[in-house]
Amino acid sequence: WSALGKAVGCYEAAVQYADIADAAIGALTGVVGRNFAARHGASPGRGAVVLGMGSLGARHLNAQSDLDLIVIYDAAEAEGSSGPRPLATRAYYARLTQALLTAVTAPTAAGRLYEVDMRLRPTGSKGPVAVRLSAFEDYYRREADTWEFMVLTRARVVWASDADFAGEVEQGIERVLRVPRPGVDVAGDVLRMRGLMDRERRPQGFWDLKLSPGGQVDAEFAAQYRQLIAAAEGGPLTPST
C-alpha cells in the first residue's frame, strides 16, 4: 500500500505540474498577445491555439520537464493585421509565437521559467514556428510518419484565443488520427521507434522504471499503438496514458 500511495502521489504531482504550466502559458500568452496587438493590430482571422505535446500534453510533467509546444492558427480570409505596424498573416503569427517563446524562456534572476521545444511541429525545425490549421491537417494526411501520429495522440489544447476554434483544432486532430493508412506497418514502425529509443537512451539500472523493459515508455508505446489502430477502425479515442 505504501508503494501504491507513492505512485498515486507521483501521478497527482505530475498533473499539478502540468496545471501550473497551463496557467503560466495562459497568463503569458495573454500579456504577450495584448502587447503584440497594440503594435501590430488584433490577430487576423480566427486567432490561434497552443497545443501541449509530449509530457505536457499527457499531463506527466515533473520539476525538470521542458514544454513541447505547437502553435496553430487560422487566418480565414484575412491577409494581415491592421494595427499601427501591420503584418501579413504568416509573419504576424510567426512573430507572435517568437514573442511568446521569448517570454517563456527568457533568463531571469530566478532562472528560466521553462525550456521550450517546438520540434514536434510539422516538418520539425525546418518548418514555420506557427502552422495554419489546413496545412497542419494536410501534413499529417500526406507526409507524417507513424511516430508523428504517436506523438499526436498526446496533443492537448493548453490555450486558445477562441473556444470554437480550439474545438475545431481538436476535431482536426481526431480527423487525421482516424484516416486509414493502408500498407503502413504500424506495429513494425512502433517497434523500430522503440528500438531506436533504446539504443539512444539506455536504462540507468534495474530501478529505472521509465526506460526498463516493461516500464513507462513501453506502456506508453503500447497504448499509442492501440490508439492508432482503434482510431483508424473507427473506435474510441482515449488518453494514451
Side-chain angles (χ1 to χ4, degrees):
W1 288 107
S2 175
L4 177 61
K6 290 179 180 179
V8 171
C10 289
Y11 172 78
E12 291 177 346
V15 172
Q16 290 166 1
Y17 276 123
D19 288 342
I20 292 170
D22 287 0
I25 292 170
L28 285 173
T29 303
V31 173
V32 169
R34 287 191 294 271
N35 291 339
F36 198 83
R39 296 192 301 273
H40 303 291
S43 55
R46 304 184 61 199
V49 304
V50 179
L51 286 183
M53 310 293 285
S55 296
L56 175 61
R59 297 167 69 82
H60 283 174
L61 287 188
N62 59 50
Q64 286 77 43
S65 294
D66 60 4
L67 305 184
D68 294 294
L69 303 177
I70 297 178
V71 175
I72 299 177
Y73 69 92
D74 182 9
E77 301 300 321
E79 295 183 357
S81 63
S82 56
R85 298 164 58 188
L87 292 170
T89 296
R90 182 171 178 175
Y92 186 101
Y93 286 105
R95 291 178 59 176
L96 176 60
T97 300
Q98 292 288 2
L100 174 61
L101 293 180
T102 298
V104 174
T105 63
T108 70
R112 298 178 190 274
L113 183 59
Y114 291 103
E115 297 287 347
V116 174
D117 189 342
M118 299 195 71
R119 291 176 295 176
L120 294 181
R121 67 187 187 272
T123 68
S125 57
K126 298 178 182 178
V129 291
V131 185
R132 189 186 294 263
L133 177 58
S134 58
F136 177 86
E137 289 195 47
D138 188 62
Y139 174 81
Y140 278 93
R141 291 178 185 275
R142 298 175 181 271
E143 302 181 48
D145 294 323
T146 297
W147 72 266
E148 293 175 285
F149 285 92
M150 293 170 64
V151 168
L152 197 61
T153 64
R154 305 174 75 176
R156 180 173 63 89
V157 174
V158 298
W159 178 88
S161 59
D162 178 84
D164 289 338
F165 181 46
E168 288 191 22
V169 171
E170 291 171 341
Q171 292 168 11
I173 291 172
E174 180 169 344
R175 280 195 297 270
V176 297
L177 285 174
R178 291 194 180 281
V179 172
R181 301 167 64 218
V184 175
D185 180 8
V186 177
D189 288 347
V190 172
L191 287 172
R192 282 188 287 274
M193 183 65 186
R194 183 64 183 98
L196 175 62
M197 186 175 183
D198 194 45
R199 290 191 294 274
E200 293 181 347
R201 298 177 60 189
R202 299 295 299 169
Q204 301 300 307
F206 177 80
W207 293 107
D208 188 340
L209 300 183
K210 180 175 182 178
L211 297 175
S212 292
Q216 178 185 339
V217 170
D218 281 347
E220 290 174 353
F221 273 46
Q224 289 162 10
Y225 165 74
R226 287 304 309 157
Q227 274 190 279
L228 295 182
I229 297 301
E233 295 175 347
L237 282 173
T238 56
S240 61
T241 55

